[in-house]
Amino acid sequence: MTDPNHFDLRQGIVDTCRQMNRNGLNQGTSGNLSHRIPNGMLITPTSLPYDRMQPEDIVAMDFAANYQGNHRPSSEWRFHRDILRARDDVNVVLHTHSTFSTTLAIHERGIPCFHYMVAVAGGNDIRCAPYACFGTQALSDYALKALEDRNACLLGHHGLLVTAQTFEKALWLAMEVETLAKMYVHALAIGEPPRLSDAEMAQVHEQMKRMRYGQAPDLDGVGDVPRASPEPKGAAH
Ligand code: 13P
């Protein structure tokens, strides 16, 4: 029977938040995380450090913004709610102020296709949404636009936002984007790097799709090579 309190998802939110801190993706009370439930979401409470957060502290909120719990929801409930409502391909919304993504966002710069891994966010770039004050509807509107056909975007003068189907994929994608941001900031030290062409990026998207790249079995339970009839050695991919 389904647990009406979604204890496993609450624990998953706590575990993922703590992992964000361990990975260096987040610190203090910055950042927030949500997971879809029927007609709404579970979301981190506002201003509670992750190392003190327990499953019962997670707030349940419906899409009309009614909430239940001992705490107020994250100040960013609007963009979590709006993304989950608009995108049925998304179960998890993760937001951090990770250092290198935020460094680019401070300059109102997105991440161009200077490296092929930019494709893991779904397109040929990772956009930076214009600045709007945290917790506002304007920020949510800008975020949703920057996420069109993408699973990640930067938020101007603020941080990073990623979407995924599972906690594991959200953490993985946040780490990938943060690493790309770090590489881009380093590359900029010796000038604006050349970009991959549209044709080169189209090939990358095709290759990733064909190989189910970034879809490791431990991330979504589906392998990239059929297990029953493995391809001969040397011919894989
Ligand atoms: P909350 O503690 O309200 O989630 O705020 C943190 C944050 O990062 C705001 O953007």
Side-chain angles (χ1 to χ4, degrees):
M1 204 180 84
T2 323
D3 167 16
N5 291 320
H6 307 284
F7 183 83
D8 289 353
L9 292 180
R10 289 168 181 271
Q11 186 67 58
I13 289 179
V14 171
D15 293 347
T16 306
C17 284
R18 295 203 178 138
Q19 191 63 41
M20 266 160 59
N21 282 6
R22 279 197 295 274
N23 289 355
L25 275 174
N26 205 61
Q27 57 78 44
T29 59
S30 299
N32 28 72
L33 179 68
S34 64
H35 194 291
R36 180 189 297 280
I37 55 174
N39 302 317
M41 63 187 174
L42 293 172
I43 186 165
T44 46
T46 187
S47 311
L48 188 66
Y50 293 160
D51 54 1
R52 284 182 26 210
M53 200 167 64
Q54 298 298 326
E56 57 272 22
D57 294 323
I58 304 303
V59 181
M61 182 182 243
D62 66 22
F63 285 143
N66 304 302
Y67 68 89
Q68 290 170 357
N70 306 327
H71 296 271
R72 285 177 300 131
S74 165
S75 55
E76 302 294 14
W77 62 266
R78 284 182 181 79
F79 67 59
H80 288 266
R81 189 260 321 253
D82 293 349
I83 293 166
L84 289 169
R85 218 167 29 177
R87 296 267 303 260
D88 57 12
D89 59 316
V90 172
N91 288 326
V92 176
V93 178
L94 180 158
H95 167 58
T96 86
H97 297 179
S98 54
T99 306
F100 286 92
S101 299
T102 306
T103 301
L104 291 173
I106 286 165
H107 280 280
E108 303 176 3
R109 293 178 82 132
I111 308 178
C113 48
F114 76 108
H115 189 291
Y116 78 88
M117 281 293 281
V118 164
V120 296
N124 288 359
D125 63 359
I126 297 167
R127 304 182 188 104
C128 181
Y131 174 76
C133 182
F134 80 97
T136 59
Q137 189 58 46
L139 177 62
S140 176
D141 294 346
Y142 286 149
L144 216 58
K145 177 115 191 70
L147 281 171
E148 255 171 36
D149 304 317
R150 302 284 188 277
N151 301 320
C153 71
L154 308 185
L155 302 175
H157 304 272
H158 188 157
L160 166 65
L161 192 50
V162 309
T163 66
Q165 287 181 347
T166 64
F167 293 125
E168 291 83 357
K169 278 193 174 177
L171 261 182
W172 170 78
L173 185 57
M175 281 303 288
E176 291 299 333
V177 176
E178 177 62 6
T179 303
L180 285 163
K182 185 175 183 177
M183 292 189 285
Y184 188 44
V185 168
H186 283 305
L188 284 169
I190 50 174
E192 183 71 54
R195 313 277 160 92
L196 296 172
S197 67
D198 287 353
E200 285 165 333
M201 286 303 287
Q203 187 186 13
V204 172
H205 286 294
E206 182 52 38
Q207 183 81 327
M208 285 185 170
K209 208 167 137 197
R210 197 174 65 78
M211 291 173 55
R212 296 178 53 74
Y213 190 82
Q215 314 260 317
D218 56 336
L219 288 177
D220 69 355
V222 183
D224 58 348
V225 177
R227 277 163 199 279
S229 54
E231 294 181 51
K233 269 201 173 133
H237 309 310

